[in-house]
Amino acid sequence: GILQHPDGTVLKQLQPPPRGPREQEFYNKVYDSACCDSILLELREYLPKYFGVWSPPTAPNDTYLKLEDVTRKFNKPCIMDVKIGQKSYDPYASAEKIQQQVSKYPLMEEIGFLVLGMRVYHVSSDSYETQNQHYGRSLTKETVQDGISKFFHNGYCLRKDAIAASIQKIKKILEWFEGQKQLNFYASSLLFVYEGSCQATTVRLSDVTLAEKRGVPKGLLSGGDILEYNNNIRVINSTENGKIEASVSKGLSKFYALHKKAYSKRHHSQLSLKVENLEQGNVWKSSTCITQEHLNGNVLPQLEKVFCHVPAETKESAAVEVRMIDFAHVFPSNTKDEGYIYGLKNLITVLQSILDN
């Protein structure tokens, strides 16, 4: 599983050779301070930031990759892990390994991607729905569109703004792949994260602003971090030397990043709502302020209606991250990575169909 370090990064334990050393070598190459390769420098934009390796003081032989927590800025992060490519085995895999990987999801070559898991925040119930890799492997050519759309539905509506923003980010990654012949990626994933709570997002609809101002909850550390219980990770113990022990739920252990709320130091307890002169009729006739406790009944559905029906021109600005992760099977190449490109294009087509329909 993935551990959270108190400094706001995440720790991914190095896998046994040759996978672990290969992934470490990949990160070292891309993030080399002397790197002047424009292809690799651009690639950094699509990866979690890399901060070298880390070992706990009590177990110096255990090595972890220290990486950016992509979910850190989100209040209610919705997370999806999608393996990309037509092959989930690398060129050096044995016949037995190839058969094993193909049997896990025979449609990989045709579909070009596989949903490894998702975690979706439902506003109506203030709870998360999770799906594991068995869910993804159950998807067929006919059901994959509905299967993916499930990730973007918050219990009230389809988050078209998050879909549109995701498409734009995948297109940027696709452009990078179309322009490089240095590396081929196998069994690598895209990590999708978007903000599930409208209360934590600022959205402008003409002169409509939804902005959350919350107080700092108990458990704030001196460095401004918050360690708390949630559905993904239970922090047992942390000390000044940076040691951290955590237990991770099995169902989500495949995820790269685990849910952690990070509130800024603001001492307000109210949600400010300014909703004036809506073009499609006034939802509220004047600015109003309602406390957090009153976000129920008819108010929350109205909030969701405003948030979910954002006009097309603002969709790309939604709080969304799409990052490449898992690099234990990256190899030098002198040709385009056609399998990965095929997967990206097909994923874009599926997302666009969800948006259009």
Side-chain angles (χ1 to χ4, degrees), residues 28-41:
N28 285 339
K29 181 178 181 180
V30 174
Y31 283 93
D32 187 343
S33 58
C35 177
C36 56
D37 185 332
S38 61
I39 295 293
L40 298 183
L41 291 175

Side-chain angles (χ1 to χ4, degrees), residues 74 131 223 324:
F74 296 90
Q131 301 289 349
M324 296 170 61

